[in-house]
Amino acid sequence: MFTRYFSSNRKILFLSIITGVFIALLLGSLQFLWSYHKREVKFDTLITDLSVYMENYFDELKTAIDVLQPLTLGSCRDVSAELTSRAAFSINVRAFLLVRDKNAFCSSATGPLNAPMEELIPQLHINKSVDMVLLEGTPMLPDTPAIAIWYRNPLVKDGGVFTSVNINLTPYMFYTSRQEEFAGIAVVIGKRALTTMSSTLVNAEDLHETPARSATLRHIPLTINLYADTWTKDELLLALLFGLVCGIAAGSLNFYILTIRLNPGKEILTAIKLGQFYVVYQPVVDAKELKMRGVEVLMRWKHPTMGEIPPDAFINFAEAQKLIVPLTLHLFDLIIRDAPRLQAVLPPGAKLGINIAPGHLHAESFKADMRAFNASMPPNHFQTVLEITERDMINQHEASPLFDWLHDEGFEIAIDDFGTGHSALIYLERFTMDYIKIDRGFVNAIGTETVTSPVLDAVLTLARRLNMSTVAEGVETPEQAAWLREHGVNFLQGYWISRPMPLEQFCQWRPDMSQAGE
Ligand code: C2E
Ligand code: CA
Ligand code: CA
C-alpha cells in the first residue's frame, strides 16, 4: 500500500524535490531544444530565401544578357542606343560592356571605348563561360561595391558581355542587427567577400567563423554565408527560467498531492467520516466444550479504490500519524452500534476482545475514553478484554498502575501475540493480566519438529501457576487443536473454528465442531 512508501513527510519532501529537479531538467532541456529547433528553421528559411532571391535575379540578368550577346558582333555606333536602353531597364545594372577580341569596345554608360579586359578587370577570366568578381567600386561609383559578371559569347572570338551590378546588403544588415542570434551575412565570390559586418570588401580567408549556413548558387560561382550564434544568452536564460518554474510547480504539485490529497492520515479521518471502516467478529471458544465464550473484534477498511486494506497496514499507519485515538474511538462507536445485536447472540459474561494500540494506551484521554465506552455499552452483559501486545509494556512504568486501574473499572487484560517479543516471561510475573494470547507463530509450529513445543509447555505451566487463562490464536488444523487441548490451553481462536465475520454473518453463525471428533 502506498502508505508504506510515503509514510513520512521527509520522504514526500525528498520525492517532491527529485520530481522537481527531474521536471526542471526535462522541460528546461525541451524548451532549449525547441528554441534551438526554431532557430535552425529560421536559418534554413533565411538562407533558402536569399539563394532563391539571388538565383532569380541572376537568371533574369542572364536572360537580358542573352539578348545582348548578338550585339557583340556589330559596331558600337549601331548598338549603343539599344545597349543604353537595356541597361536603363535592367534593375541594379550599372553598365553593360560589349567585348570582342578581349577588348571592351562599347559601354552602355559611355558609348564606344577601347579597353583591354585584362586592364579593366584583371581578375576576370574571359575564357570561362561565366565568371564573377567583387569590385570595390566602379568608375562612376568608386566607393560602392559591385559585382562584375562575365558571360562569354561562344560565337565571337574572346567576346561576350560584361556587366557590373549593384550589390547591396544594407537591408540584411538591418535584418540581422534586429535578430539577436544573427551575426551577419557574407556574399563570397572567389577570394573576396562582401559582408554585413564591414562596409568594404574583405578577403574570403579572413572570414574566420564557420558559417551556420552556406549556400552556393546554381550556375553561378557565388556563395552566401550566414553567420549566427549556436545559442543565445536569452534562449539559455529562458530555458533555465522555464525549467525552474516548471520544476517548482511540479515539485509543489507532487508535494501537495502526496501530503494533502493522498495523505493517508487525512484519508483515515475521511474514511471515518464516510463510514469506510467496519468491524468483523472472530469467535473464541473454550477448549473443553468448544462453546463460544467470546469474540475478538477486528477492524476492516473497505477503501473505495484500493479495496480491503489489511489492519496491519492502517493501524500502524494511524499510529504513526497520531490518529490511533480517533480511530479507536470510532471502533468503540461501531461496537456500541452493534452491541444490541451482539447481546442477542452472546450470553451474559461473554468476552469482547478489543485490541488497544500502545498509542492509545498511553494517551491522556485513555481513561476517560474507556469510561465513556463502558458507559455506552449495555450494562452487565459483556466482559471487555483489552488486548495489549507485550512490546507495549516495555519501559512503561505506568503500565502497572494503569492495569490496576483497568481492573478496578471492570476490564480484563490479555497479553496479545505472546511469544513474539523478548523476555516475555518476565512480563507475566511483573504485571497482573488475565489472559495470555499465544501467538499464532507458536500454534503454527505444532506438529513440526521444532523446539517450540517445550517452550509452549513451559508457558502453559507458568500461566497456570500465575492463575492466568490461555488463548491459542491462529488454530487452523484439528491436529493443532488436539495438541492444545491436550496441553491444557483454555481457549481456542482461529480459522479452524471460524474466520472473522461481519456482524450479519456472525449473528447467524453456529459452531460446527464436527471436525473435532467429539
Ligand atoms: P491480532 O490481534 O493478532 O489479531 C488476530 C489476527 O489473526 C487477525 O488478523 C485475524 O484475522 C487473524 N487470524 C485469526 N485466526 C487465524 C488463523 O487461523 N490463521 C491465520 N493465519 N490468521 C488468523 P487481522 O484481522 O488481519 O488483524 C491483524 C492485526 O491487526 C491484529 O492482530 C491486530 O494487531 C491488528 N488489529 C486488527 N483490528 C484492530 C483494531 O481494531 N485495533 C487495533 N489496535 N488493532 C487491530
Ligand atoms: Ca488481538
Ligand atoms: Ca494476536
Side-chain angles (χ1 to χ4, degrees), residues 296 355 387 389 416-418 437-440 473 493:
E296 180 174 357
N355 294 285
E387 300 192 6
T389 62
D416 204 356
D417 301 343
F418 187 78
K437 293 198 82 173
I438 298 156
D439 190 70
R440 61 173 177 273
E473 290 188 314
Q493 180 185 353

Side-chain angles (χ1 to χ4, degrees), residues 403-463:
F403 287 1
D404 290 343
W405 181 86
L406 283 171
H407 280 136
D408 288 346
E409 290 292 311
F411 295 103
E412 284 186 327
I413 301 165
I415 180 163
D416 204 356
D417 301 343
F418 187 78
T420 53
H422 299 287
S423 1
L425 295 176
I426 292 176
Y427 299 117
L428 296 186
E429 296 193 293
R430 188 174 300 166
F431 303 113
T432 38
M433 281 168 297
D434 309 281
Y435 302 93
I436 299 178
K437 293 198 82 173
I438 298 156
D439 190 70
R440 61 173 177 273
F442 277 102
V443 176
N444 242 331
I446 294 171
T448 57
E449 289 302 313
T450 59
V451 288
T452 310
S453 305
V455 174
L456 204 47
D457 259 337
V459 169
L460 295 176
T461 311
L462 185 67

Side-chain angles (χ1 to χ4, degrees), residues 176-319:
T176 55
S177 67
R178 251 181 289 132
Q179 310 283 316
E180 206 217 329
E181 64 267 42
F182 287 118
I185 289 169
V187 170
V188 185
I189 296 170
K191 290 195 172 110
R192 316 195 79 189
L194 179 69
T195 76
T196 51
M197 288 88 84
S198 130
S199 55
T200 53
L201 295 189
V202 294
N203 282 331
E205 296 151 10
D206 295 343
L207 297 166
H208 287 304
E209 259 181 287
T210 20
R213 291 289 182 282
S214 186
T216 301
L217 302 193
R218 278 182 290 127
H219 319 304
I220 292 178
L222 183 149
T223 303
I224 308 162
N225 284 348
L226 187 66
Y227 297 95
D229 299 328
T230 14
W231 48 265
T232 65
K233 232 191 288 161
D234 275 3
E235 274 170 342
L236 198 68
L237 215 67
L238 182 72
L240 275 176
L241 212 71
F242 184 69
L244 200 72
V245 169
C246 292
I248 290 174
S252 313
L253 190 73
N254 192 68
F255 190 79
Y256 172 78
I257 290 173
L258 290 183
T259 50
I260 315 288
R261 297 293 311 280
L262 288 186
N263 185 328
K266 192 190 165 211
E267 285 236 324
I268 284 182
L269 291 178
T270 313
I272 291 176
K273 243 186 254 159
L274 298 180
Q276 290 168 3
F277 290 104
Y278 65 99
V279 288
V280 288
Y281 298 92
Q282 187 175 34
V284 178
V285 298
D286 77 81
K288 281 206 184 82
E289 298 175 56
L290 298 177
K291 282 217 175 92
M292 180 159 60
R293 300 296 178 204
V295 286
E296 180 174 357
V297 186
L298 295 158
M299 213 175 201
R300 295 286 177 267
W301 183 358
K302 192 172 169 56
H303 193 279
T305 52
M306 282 184 288
E308 295 280 349
I309 301 172
D312 286 325
F314 71 78
I315 297 285
N316 287 340
F317 192 72
E319 276 208 78

Side-chain angles (χ1 to χ4, degrees), residues 2 59 76 102-103 117 143 170 173 234 246 250 313 347 469 481 518:
F2 58 76
D59 282 351
C76 188
K102 300 184 183 174
N103 252 353
M117 281 301 281
D143 298 321
T170 313
M173 204 139 75
D234 275 3
C246 292
S469 295
E518 302 225 330

